[in-house]
Amino acid sequence: MLKGRHLIEPMDFSIDELEEIFNLADEIIANPENFKDICNGKLLATLFYEPSTRTRFSFEAAMYRLGGKVIGFSEPNSSSVAKGESIADTIRTIGCYADIAVMRHPKEGAPKVASFYSNIPVINAGDGGHQHPTQTLTDLLTIRAIKGKLSNLTIGFCGDLKFGRTVHSLIKAMSRYENIKFILVSPEELKVPEYIKKEVLEKNNIEFEEIEKLEDSIQKLDILYMTRVQKERFFNEEDYIRLKDSYILDKEKMNNAKKDMIVLHPLPRVNEISYEVDEDPRACYFKQAQYGMYVRMALIAKLLGVC
Amino acid sequence: MLKGRHLIEPMDFSIDELEEIFNLADEIIANPENFKDICNGKLLATLFYEPSTRTRFSFEAAMYRLGGKVIGFSEPNSSSVAKGESIADTIRTIGCYADIAVMRHPKEGAPKVASFYSNIPVINAGDGGHQHPTQTLTDLLTIRAIKGKLSNLTIGFCGDLKFGRTVHSLIKAMSRYENIKFILVSPEELKVPEYIKKEVLEKNNIEFEEIEKLEDSIQKLDILYMTRVQKERFFNEEDYIRLKDSYILDKEKMNNAKKDMIVLHPLPRVNEISYEVDEDPRACYFKQAQYGMYVRMALIAKLLGVC
Amino acid sequence: MLKGRHLIEPMDFSIDELEEIFNLADEIIANPENFKDICNGKLLATLFYEPSTRTRFSFEAAMYRLGGKVIGFSEPNSSSVAKGESIADTIRTIGCYADIAVMRHPKEGAPKVASFYSNIPVINAGDGGHQHPTQTLTDLLTIRAIKGKLSNLTIGFCGDLKFGRTVHSLIKAMSRYENIKFILVSPEELKVPEYIKKEVLEKNNIEFEEIEKLEDSIQKLDILYMTRVQKERFFNEEDYIRLKDSYILDKEKMNNAKKDMIVLHPLPRVNEISYEVDEDPRACYFKQAQYGMYVRMALIAKLLGVC
């Protein structure tokens, strides 16, 4: 039963609950017309204590495409709510006006605190470097929709695997499905943290390998998840110069990949995927943005209990 | 006849006109479904020359819950309208786009000037320290809804009674009803201004007493209206230390209050009401926020003439 | 066929295509009720990389009055989209959420670049000092609606004719119609640029005269288009003092104008039109703002292909 629930962390929902959301997303994608008024009379509050236009747009578009409406703020300055008031009081007041709330906050745990005091569902839209569960739902729906399954897949993550909450969440989430293999491509200093290897991968007997260069294993992948590597994160200039091209996906590397491999990226990209790759039918990162809207439509509808 | 009128000051409407608005609010509360499309095709402009998220949300939620739509700005930076253009020109332009306007402005009198030039109803959502008439309507509807009447009441105001426009407006508004008594609780330096005592209370033969400590009279009250007392407003440190706890409402003080006393607060609160009081059924400040939305729904509908 | 097209420059549409838009605008003005749901389920994205409240309001009101909905940002600060992402990626992402986009950008050409990569119609809402095509459409519809025609007119432009993109665009646009004469009123240093005289006026054999004082020729005009003259733009103080009153439209000058001359101004005005003129029925600048909304309604409907 998802009605009235909060979504604070990517693992808050069981595999079955996720399946319920994804199935609804499938239906929405197939017949958007059937869903265009189901949130008629419902109000979403978007509480963005730090700006994130892309995420905000995705939620607002989702609500509008369900026939609902939106109130909100998009940065802290414009929010007197933010001044001298506890999160508890804010969310209780918001609950007087709106039916569901999305919160983005620079402080880890803020949406969780809000959920304790809220009488309406709260969705975490990113709390500091901590969690961003609807990105994970987006990634899962995209894989499920394009590959037709969430099991029996070899998934490569490439780039900064140390600091990326997106990567960590997706590794955890995929680890719940059957026969998943990971190939983790990063420089030494940006490897996946030990606790993820121990508590997630090893604990669940999941096969993985860690490599330094994308070109070495791209041919094995069903999914390639790209993230950015910032120069500042390298310990020394030499390593950066030696390795930087290994974390840029270009046409040449794509030539060695499977015909049905798909490329994902949470966006925005800087230069880690060459523009020439955009034309490749395997480049799915803009489709991914679209699935992001659909999965949020399904999520909102489920938490509101209108579907 | 409220259609086409402006609301600039709390006393702009007669008791009968307020009654008309409150009766509509009652109907909306009872059957919100019946009103969810009455503003279909109507557009509200929210012109916030200074931010006030809570007030803006309340108006926007009100309009959306009537089936209307909203354009607006939430702070002066984002408003080129604000630059080098007279209020007169701005409101005349807004009148080309929208059907009704809400204005919040740091300068006293700005909404009044706008109303002179406007061909659409203008609602003052706060002009400097001057007026905030929809807060007064909110307070009146809340009292009327929960106590079942606006007469024969003993009302306590506690905190800073000198600078609070909310307090002054509500004293004036309640003074129009029968058999009202006020108990005014504040430190010496933050007492209700003389002109209110002379021109409102004494002129209308209204019984009132001024006391320094809330605990001394809380047992007499039907309504306790709390406001914040800022340390900086005290003349000396000694007084502040001696008195500060008298302006904080806690469980202990609540134990001496009537069983059906209600506690109101315009929000946001800082620490003038302890969190422990929130669970007390007499704590009505979040309900008050909800009545604020309903009274704005009724107000908008009346000024637009759709009800 | 306008469906799916972009509007980047004022001359992007042929005279016939403009006629199609203006005819639809006429219908909307006559029977707005018939059009209030035609964009039901459609989403407009307003991408304002610099603030322009008036233009944004006009587009948003237009979309709402067609039954559509709006997502967007109103200034760059609140836009993480703006950070480190190419215009190409931004518009492709927006295309995942919205059905049509309006872009205002401080850099010339940005909306054009966006249109190259966009799978949804892009409307330029102003790119630096370059183009502002919907202002031109507004001006044309206003003239057509009030004068009943776009040919056989003597049009005066008064003020800063050197830097005003609005003036340049309208001269070009009007030059496509029959028997148009221009009277260009400006100080020497703010005359219409040579390339417009050569490439537009002379090339099309259009009659025009350049004069220094409005009072000298106001009696000849069917339309007077006022713009502001900034003191800083004068080369010397003497000229400014000698001429400044010639660029302020007042009652006295209006006395010498034709009974059916109309006064236009893109707004906001500062002091170039005296407030006393507002009451004159020939003052049409607020009507113009209203036509601005109607022409945007027609434009959006045509580009979306819903009419």
Side-chain angles (χ1 to χ4, degrees):
Chain A
M1 186 62 175
L2 289 164
K3 182 176 176 178
R5 293 268 294 277
H6 307 292
L7 175 58
I8 305 303
E9 301 188 8
M11 306 291 269
D12 280 354
F13 297 159
S14 69
I15 287 189
D16 286 350
E17 286 166 342
L18 288 180
E19 203 58 21
E20 198 184 325
I21 292 169
F22 298 150
N23 286 338
L24 178 57
D26 286 348
E27 287 179 52
I28 293 172
I29 293 166
N31 295 295
E33 277 296 304
N34 295 352
F35 297 87
K36 77 182 179 51
D37 292 317
I38 59 163
C39 284
N40 186 2
K42 300 289 182 188
L43 207 46
L44 167 72
T46 49
L47 312 175
F48 278 65
Y49 289 85
E50 70 177 6
S52 173
T53 308
R54 185 181 302 274
T55 303
R56 183 169 62 84
F57 276 16
S58 184
F59 274 108
E60 294 186 0
M63 189 58 172
Y64 284 134
R65 292 200 179 279
L66 295 170
K69 287 168 181 173
V70 179
I71 56 172
F73 53 86
S74 54
E75 47 179 337
N77 298 348
S78 70
S79 168
S80 63
V81 165
K83 286 173 209 152
E85 188 181 51
S86 67
I87 289 274
D89 276 17
T90 298
I91 197 70
R92 280 187 286 193
T93 308
I94 296 298
C96 297
Y97 308 140
D99 301 293
I100 185 168
V102 167
M103 182 181 286
R104 176 127 183 165
H105 204 288
K107 281 197 195 149
E108 291 186 15
K112 188 164 201 124
V113 171
S115 73
F116 293 152
Y117 292 92
S118 180
N119 63 337
I120 59 173
V122 174
I123 300 171
N124 179 3
D127 56 335
H130 195 222
Q131 307 284 2
H132 189 14
T134 57
Q135 180 65 51
T136 308
L137 265 59
T138 297
D139 298 339
L140 293 175
L141 178 64
T142 306
I143 294 168
R144 186 179 175 277
I146 304 179
K147 300 302 295 185
K149 59 184 177 182
L150 284 165
S151 50
N152 303 308
L153 292 165
T154 299
I155 307 170
F157 288 94
C158 175
D160 175 355
L161 309 187
K162 184 174 181 188
F163 297 101
R165 63 182 172 190
T166 301
V167 171
H168 304 169
S169 293
L170 189 53
I171 289 175
K172 286 183 210 167
M174 289 302 301
S175 295
R176 298 203 288 187
Y177 296 95
E178 274 173 40
N179 193 25
I180 298 297
K181 289 176 203 162
F182 294 111
I183 296 180
L184 306 169
V185 189
S186 74
E188 183 64 27
E189 46 268 72
L190 295 175
K191 283 165 78 174
V192 164
E194 278 307 308
Y195 85 92
I196 288 192
K197 281 183 244 172
K198 289 234 169 77
E199 289 167 39
V200 181
L201 300 177
E202 288 167 12
K203 193 172 156 192
N204 293 292
N205 289 314
I206 292 168
E207 207 176 302
F208 71 96
E209 51 181 301
E210 295 184 277
I211 62 171
E212 219 179 30
K213 295 184 168 188
L214 178 56
E215 50 269 48
D216 291 347
S217 291
I218 192 167
Q219 71 286 351
K220 299 183 195 166
L221 303 176
D222 299 308
I223 293 158
L224 171 57
Y225 202 102
M226 293 296 298
T227 68
R228 199 182 342 157
V229 179
Q230 290 169 281
K231 191 178 171 180
E232 310 81 67
R233 293 264 159 91
F234 279 84
F235 293 156
N236 64 69
E237 182 86 9
E238 268 167 61
D239 266 10
Y240 174 72
I241 291 168
R242 181 172 62 88
L243 287 170
K244 67 183 162 73
D245 290 341
S246 292
Y247 307 111
I248 293 177
L249 183 65
D250 55 18
K251 226 171 169 171
E252 208 189 315
K253 292 193 191 77
M254 286 299 283
N255 287 340
N256 294 322
K258 287 187 187 170
K259 289 249 174 324
D260 65 347
M261 185 192 77
I262 63 172
V263 182
L264 301 182
H265 189 295
L267 300 181
R269 71 164 150 191
V270 178
N271 70 341
E272 58 276 16
I273 301 176
S274 301
Y275 277 83
E276 60 189 22
V277 176
D278 294 358
E279 301 312 308
D280 193 307
R282 293 171 291 181
C284 293
Y285 26 93
F286 291 111
K287 274 186 202 162
Q288 191 181 356
Q290 190 138 38
Y291 284 117
M293 183 183 73
Y294 287 123
V295 89
R296 288 177 178 100
M297 290 174 75
L299 175 67
I300 290 170
K302 282 292 174 191
L303 299 188
L304 286 174
V306 296
C307 267
Chain B
M1 185 60 175
L2 288 164
K3 183 176 174 178
R5 294 268 294 277
H6 306 292
L7 175 60
I8 306 302
E9 301 188 8
M11 306 291 270
D12 280 355
F13 297 160
S14 69
I15 286 189
D16 286 351
E17 286 166 343
L18 288 181
E19 203 57 21
E20 200 184 324
I21 292 169
F22 298 150
N23 286 337
L24 179 56
D26 286 349
E27 288 179 52
I28 293 171
I29 293 166
N31 295 295
E33 276 296 302
N34 295 352
F35 297 87
K36 76 182 181 52
D37 292 318
I38 60 165
C39 284
N40 187 0
K42 300 288 182 189
L43 206 47
L44 166 73
T46 50
L47 313 174
F48 278 64
Y49 289 85
E50 69 177 7
S52 174
T53 309
R54 186 181 300 275
T55 303
R56 183 169 62 83
F57 276 15
S58 184
F59 274 109
E60 295 186 1
M63 188 59 172
Y64 284 133
R65 292 200 179 276
L66 295 170
K69 285 167 182 174
V70 180
I71 56 172
F73 53 87
S74 55
E75 47 178 336
N77 299 348
S78 69
S79 168
S80 64
V81 164
K83 286 173 211 153
E85 187 181 51
S86 67
I87 288 274
D89 276 18
T90 297
I91 197 72
R92 279 187 287 193
T93 308
I94 296 297
C96 297
Y97 307 140
D99 301 293
I100 185 167
V102 167
M103 182 181 286
R104 176 125 182 166
H105 205 288
K107 280 197 196 151
E108 292 187 12
K112 187 162 202 126
V113 171
S115 73
F116 293 152
Y117 293 92
S118 180
N119 63 338
I120 60 172
V122 174
I123 300 170
N124 179 3
D127 55 335
H130 196 222
Q131 307 284 1
H132 188 14
T134 57
Q135 179 65 51
T136 309
L137 264 60
T138 297
D139 297 339
L140 293 175
L141 178 65
T142 307
I143 294 170
R144 186 178 175 279
I146 304 180
K147 302 300 295 183
K149 60 184 178 182
L150 285 165
S151 49
N152 303 308
L153 292 166
T154 299
I155 307 170
F157 287 95
C158 176
D160 175 354
L161 308 187
K162 184 173 181 188
F163 297 101
R165 64 183 172 188
T166 300
V167 170
H168 304 168
S169 292
L170 188 54
I171 289 175
K172 286 184 210 167
M174 289 303 301
S175 294
R176 298 202 289 187
Y177 295 94
E178 274 174 42
N179 194 27
I180 298 297
K181 290 175 203 163
F182 293 111
I183 296 180
L184 308 169
V185 189
S186 73
E188 183 62 27
E189 46 268 71
L190 295 176
K191 284 164 76 173
V192 164
E194 278 307 308
Y195 85 93
I196 289 191
K197 282 184 242 172
K198 288 235 169 76
E199 288 167 40
V200 181
L201 299 177
E202 289 167 11
K203 196 173 154 192
N204 293 294
N205 289 314
I206 292 168
E207 211 177 297
F208 71 95
E209 52 180 301
E210 296 184 277
I211 61 171
E212 221 180 26
K213 294 184 169 189
L214 178 57
E215 50 269 47
D216 291 345
S217 291
I218 192 168
Q219 73 284 353
K220 299 182 195 168
L221 302 177
D222 299 309
I223 293 158
L224 170 57
Y225 202 103
M226 294 296 299
T227 68
R228 198 181 345 156
V229 179
Q230 290 170 278
K231 191 179 171 180
E232 310 79 68
R233 292 263 158 91
F234 279 84
F235 292 157
N236 64 69
E237 182 86 9
E238 270 166 60
D239 267 11
Y240 175 72
I241 290 168
R242 181 172 62 89
L243 288 169
K244 66 182 165 69
D245 288 341
S246 292
Y247 307 112
I248 294 176
L249 183 65
D250 53 19
K251 226 170 169 173
E252 206 190 316
K253 292 194 191 77
M254 286 299 283
N255 286 340
N256 295 321
K258 288 187 187 170
K259 289 250 174 322
D260 64 348
M261 185 192 77
I262 62 172
V263 182
L264 301 182
H265 189 295
L267 300 182
R269 70 163 149 190
V270 178
N271 70 340
E272 58 277 15
I273 300 176
S274 300
Y275 277 84
E276 59 189 20
V277 176
D278 294 358
E279 301 311 308
D280 192 307
R282 293 170 292 180
C284 294
Y285 26 93
F286 290 112
K287 274 187 202 162
Q288 191 180 358
Q290 190 140 36
Y291 284 117
M293 183 183 74
Y294 286 122
V295 88
R296 287 177 178 99
M297 290 174 76
L299 175 66
I300 290 169
K302 283 291 173 189
L303 300 187
L304 285 174
V306 296
C307 268
Chain C
M1 186 62 175
L2 289 164
K3 183 176 174 178
R5 295 268 293 277
H6 307 292
L7 174 59
I8 305 302
E9 300 188 8
M11 308 291 270
D12 280 354
F13 296 159
S14 70
I15 287 189
D16 286 350
E17 287 166 342
L18 288 181
E19 204 58 21
E20 199 184 325
I21 292 169
F22 298 149
N23 286 338
L24 178 57
D26 287 348
E27 287 179 52
I28 293 172
I29 293 166
N31 296 295
E33 277 296 305
N34 295 351
F35 297 87
K36 76 182 180 52
D37 293 317
I38 58 163
C39 283
N40 187 0
K42 300 288 183 188
L43 207 47
L44 167 72
T46 50
L47 313 174
F48 279 64
Y49 289 84
E50 70 177 6
S52 174
T53 308
R54 185 181 303 275
T55 302
R56 183 169 62 84
F57 276 15
S58 184
F59 273 109
E60 295 187 0
M63 189 58 172
Y64 284 134
R65 292 199 179 280
L66 295 170
K69 286 167 182 174
V70 180
I71 56 172
F73 53 87
S74 55
E75 47 179 336
N77 299 348
S78 69
S79 168
S80 64
V81 164
K83 286 173 211 154
E85 187 182 52
S86 68
I87 288 275
D89 276 17
T90 298
I91 197 72
R92 279 187 286 193
T93 308
I94 296 298
C96 297
Y97 308 140
D99 302 293
I100 185 167
V102 167
M103 182 181 286
R104 176 127 182 164
H105 205 288
K107 280 197 196 151
E108 292 186 13
K112 189 164 199 123
V113 171
S115 74
F116 294 152
Y117 292 92
S118 180
N119 63 338
I120 59 173
V122 174
I123 300 171
N124 179 3
D127 56 334
H130 196 223
Q131 307 284 2
H132 189 13
T134 57
Q135 179 66 52
T136 309
L137 264 60
T138 297
D139 298 338
L140 293 175
L141 177 65
T142 307
I143 294 169
R144 186 178 175 278
I146 304 181
K147 302 301 295 184
K149 59 184 178 182
L150 284 165
S151 51
N152 303 307
L153 292 165
T154 299
I155 307 170
F157 287 95
C158 176
D160 175 354
L161 309 187
K162 186 173 179 188
F163 296 101
R165 64 183 172 187
T166 300
V167 170
H168 303 168
S169 292
L170 189 54
I171 289 175
K172 286 183 209 166
M174 289 302 301
S175 295
R176 297 202 288 187
Y177 296 93
E178 275 174 39
N179 194 27
I180 297 297
K181 289 176 201 164
F182 293 111
I183 296 181
L184 307 169
V185 189
S186 74
E188 183 63 26
E189 47 267 72
L190 295 175
K191 284 164 77 173
V192 164
E194 278 307 308
Y195 85 93
I196 289 193
K197 282 183 242 173
K198 289 236 169 78
E199 288 167 40
V200 182
L201 300 177
E202 290 167 11
K203 194 172 155 191
N204 293 293
N205 289 313
I206 291 168
E207 210 177 297
F208 71 96
E209 52 180 301
E210 295 183 276
I211 62 172
E212 219 179 28
K213 294 184 170 190
L214 178 56
E215 49 270 47
D216 292 346
S217 291
I218 192 169
Q219 72 284 352
K220 299 182 194 167
L221 302 177
D222 298 309
I223 293 157
L224 171 57
Y225 202 103
M226 294 295 300
T227 67
R228 199 183 342 159
V229 179
Q230 290 169 280
K231 192 180 171 180
E232 310 80 66
R233 292 264 158 92
F234 280 84
F235 292 157
N236 64 70
E237 181 87 8
E238 269 166 58
D239 267 11
Y240 175 71
I241 290 168
R242 182 173 61 87
L243 288 170
K244 68 181 162 70
D245 289 341
S246 292
Y247 306 112
I248 294 177
L249 184 64
D250 55 18
K251 225 169 171 173
E252 208 190 315
K253 292 193 191 77
M254 286 299 284
N255 287 340
N256 295 321
K258 288 186 186 172
K259 289 250 175 321
D260 65 347
M261 184 191 80
I262 63 171
V263 183
L264 301 182
H265 188 295
L267 301 180
R269 69 163 150 191
V270 179
N271 69 341
E272 57 277 16
I273 301 176
S274 301
Y275 278 82
E276 59 189 22
V277 175
D278 293 358
E279 300 311 309
D280 192 307
R282 295 170 291 181
C284 294
Y285 26 93
F286 290 112
K287 274 187 202 162
Q288 191 180 357
Q290 190 138 38
Y291 284 118
M293 183 183 73
Y294 286 122
V295 88
R296 288 178 178 99
M297 289 173 75
L299 175 66
I300 290 169
K302 282 292 174 191
L303 299 188
L304 285 175
V306 295
C307 267

